């Protein structure tokens, strides 16, 4: 085999590998959120701990394979800890406040506090059974899986790019939501930075005293960041709108509110066990009305969009994999109802249903098709040294002047 032939073999195989992520081919934030919400919808349809663990494992693997070193990408571990805390709280509530689940296998008995007649149905202490503990564990695990799936979206999606993808009618509300979503990742980054600084100075990082000493600088940094974000938004003309006729404004409000109510009712119907019949028509009608209202409401926005995100084949595969997982789990609710909701009275060991588990594994597709993030320390789409100012739009703030946590001109426009 000649040198030219050997060099041609990797060239033919290269299209099978995901390319390195750049600003032009990075997966849009909306695709990551659709994927994560699909997994969260699937988690809401089951209490089987094996399926819930599989969903959490799928989300964790994709996050580990495709997250960057940005501040918001480090929040996934915090969501895992929050999920474990939710499970622990659910178990504690079940032990001390009781449960309506009857049981015959007594674990232990706590002293019961007598309550007045108006508090009938509520008890403090009493008999604790295995059945009620297992039921509380299943219930808490479902909520924890929902939180972890949302945490996966927070770790993979750039909040500023999500803001760029919103329609013009939701721009003002979107800015508020994005600023709120970046609070938790930035707070986690501040806590990690302060803990590292204390560790380097030889000071303790655990205990109540250390938490109090770390909490004050974190709150101070959050206040300074919020003031800087407000000043940045005011300087960039946040809130300016165009004049539209009153009839168009009223039509927009009716379509948007009616569509959102239809989406909420349709989503509830899909998530509820008895609402699958009316859920799909209501969801489709609500989406059509809401999109029409958002289209009309976009006429109020005088904002231009700089370098909008493009949905390529990889973005649609990422979003579609989450949708397929959600649809498959909704379908499995009728075909594998007992396997998706293992019984606790009498106690039965949960089993892993084959086809729902295979559908959950489709959620691993983003780990294969999404562009590979750059090495640690290299931002996505970073320009070469000395070329950062080339192509800067007129009126954009110079590099280094944007406050920490504040969206820059490219992110807002």
């Amino acid at each position: 085999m000649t040198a030219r032939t050997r060099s041609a073999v990797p060239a033919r195989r290269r299209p099978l590998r995901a390319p390195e992520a750049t600003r032009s081919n990075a997966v849009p934030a909306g695709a990551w959120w659709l994927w994560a919400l699909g997994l969260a919808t699937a988690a809401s349809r089951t209490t089987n701990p094996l399926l819930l663990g599989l969903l959490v494992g799928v989300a964790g693997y994709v996050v580990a394979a495709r997250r960057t070193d940005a501040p918001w990408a480090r929040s996934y571990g915090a969501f895992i800890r929050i999920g474990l805390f939710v499970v622990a709280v659910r178990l504690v509530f079940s032990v001390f406040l009781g449960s309506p689940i009857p049981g015959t296998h007594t674990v232990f008995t706590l002293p019961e506090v007598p309550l007045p007649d108006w508090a009938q149905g509520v008890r403090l202490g009493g008999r604790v059974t295995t059945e009620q503990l297992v039921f509380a564990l299943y219930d808490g695990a479902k909520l924890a899986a929902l939180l972890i799936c949302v945490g996966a979206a927070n770790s993979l999606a750039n909040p500023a790019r999500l803001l760029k993808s919103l329609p013009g009618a939701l721009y003002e509300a979107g800015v508020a939501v994005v600023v709120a979503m970046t609070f938790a990742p930035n707070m986690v980054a501040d806590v990690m930075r302060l803990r590292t600084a204390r560790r380097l100075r030889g000071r303790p990082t655990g205990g109540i005293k250390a938490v109090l000493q770390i909490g004050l600088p974190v709150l101070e940094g959050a206040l300074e960041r919020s003031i800087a974000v407000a000043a940045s938004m005011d300087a960039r003309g946040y809130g300016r709108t165009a004049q539209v006729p009153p009839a168009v404004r009223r039509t927009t409000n009716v379509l948007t509110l009616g569509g959102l109510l239809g989406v909420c009712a349709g989503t509830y119907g899909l998530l509820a066990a008895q609402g699958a019949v009316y859920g799909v028509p209501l969801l489709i009608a609500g989406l059509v009305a809401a999109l029409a209202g958002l289209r009309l409401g976009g006429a109020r926005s005088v904002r231009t969009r700089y370098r909008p995100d493009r949905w390529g084949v990889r973005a649609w595969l990422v979003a579609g994999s989450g949708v397929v997982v959600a649809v498959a789990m909704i379908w499995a609710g009728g075909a594998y109802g007992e396997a998706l909701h293992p019984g606790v009275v009498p106690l039965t060991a949960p089993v892993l249903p084959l086809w729902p588990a295979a559908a959950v594994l489709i959620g691993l597709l983003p780990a294969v098709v999404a562009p590979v993030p750059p090495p640690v320390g290299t931002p996505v789409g970073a320009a070469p040294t000395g070329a950062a100012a080339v192509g800067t739009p007129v009126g954009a703030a110079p590099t280094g002047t944007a406050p920490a946590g504040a969206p820059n001109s490219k992110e807002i426009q």
Side-chain angles (χ1 to χ4, degrees):
M1 182 182 291
T2 63
R4 179 176 298 179
T5 306
R6 286 195 300 268
S7 62
V9 172
R12 289 196 297 268
R13 293 178 180 175
R14 191 170 299 169
L16 298 178
R17 299 172 54 189
E20 185 174 343
T22 61
R23 186 180 293 273
S24 59
N25 68 354
V27 176
W32 286 122
W33 272 101
L34 287 176
W35 167 79
L37 290 177
L39 296 185
T41 302
S44 68
R45 303 292 298 185
T46 179
T47 57
N48 190 321
L50 301 179
L51 285 176
L52 293 174
L54 188 60
L55 284 166
V56 172
V58 167
Y61 182 81
V62 174
V63 169
R66 289 299 182 265
R67 70 174 176 179
T68 62
D69 61 336
W72 60 81
R74 305 169 190 168
S75 61
Y76 185 70
F79 279 92
I80 293 179
R81 289 189 288 270
I82 292 174
L84 295 177
F85 176 75
V86 167
V87 174
V89 169
R90 183 65 179 87
L91 288 173
V92 170
F93 277 15
S94 176
V95 169
F96 289 99
L97 300 181
S99 174
I101 302 299
T104 57
H105 300 80
T106 303
V107 180
F108 54 87
T109 302
L110 295 175
E112 188 170 356
V113 178
L115 297 176
D117 296 336
W118 54 266
Q120 291 182 356
V122 179
R123 68 178 178 87
L124 294 176
R127 191 167 62 99
V128 179
T129 63
T130 305
E131 288 82 357
Q132 77 177 64
L133 291 179
V134 173
F135 177 79
L137 179 64
Y138 289 172
D139 197 25
K142 180 171 71 172
L143 182 55
L146 285 168
L147 291 173
I148 292 173
C149 291
V150 173
N154 277 277
S155 300
L156 294 169
N158 187 336
R161 298 189 66 169
L162 179 63
L163 176 61
K164 291 173 59 176
S165 305
L166 291 177
L170 298 179
Y171 175 67
E172 287 80 6
V175 171
V177 172
V178 168
V179 172
M181 286 194 307
T182 56
F183 173 77
N186 286 326
M187 186 179 64
V188 172
D190 288 345
V191 171
M192 293 176 61
R193 176 175 53 84
L194 291 171
R195 286 172 61 90
T196 303
R198 290 180 62 87
R199 192 179 299 112
L200 292 175
R201 294 186 177 99
R203 298 178 182 177
T205 58
I208 299 178
K209 183 178 180 181
V211 171
L212 294 177
Q213 292 178 352
I214 291 175
L216 183 60
V218 169
L219 293 177
E220 182 181 358
L223 180 60
E224 292 178 354
R225 190 181 300 111
S226 62
I227 295 174
V229 169
S232 175
M233 292 163 58
D234 183 68
R236 290 176 173 87
Y238 172 78
R240 297 176 184 174
T241 58
Q243 295 293 332
V244 293
V248 175
R249 190 183 305 114
R250 287 191 292 268
T251 305
T252 301
N253 294 335
V254 171
L255 288 175
T256 304
L257 293 177
L260 292 178
L261 289 176
V263 169
C264 293
T267 304
Y268 175 79
L270 290 178
L271 296 178
Q274 296 82 10
V277 177
Y278 66 85
V280 175
L282 273 178
L283 182 61
I284 295 176
L287 285 175
V288 171
L291 291 176
L294 294 177
R295 183 69 177 177
L296 288 176
R300 298 175 59 246
S301 176
V302 293
R303 177 178 61 95
T304 59
R305 185 168 295 176
Y306 176 69
R307 299 170 74 174
D309 291 333
R310 292 179 174 84
W311 282 61
V313 177
R314 298 181 185 275
W316 286 110
L317 288 175
V318 170
S321 62
V323 174
V324 169
V325 172
V327 172
M329 195 63 69
I330 292 174
W331 168 80
Y336 301 89
E338 295 183 359
L340 264 62
H341 301 278
V344 295
V345 181
L347 278 175
T348 57
V351 297
L352 184 65
L354 178 60
W355 289 112
V360 170
L361 293 179
I362 298 176
L364 291 172
L365 188 61
V368 180
V369 301
V372 181
V376 177
T378 305
V380 178
T385 304
V390 178
T392 303
V394 177
T399 304
T401 58
N408 56 33
S409 58
K410 296 181 181 180
E411 296 168 346
I412 287 188
Q413 292 179 350

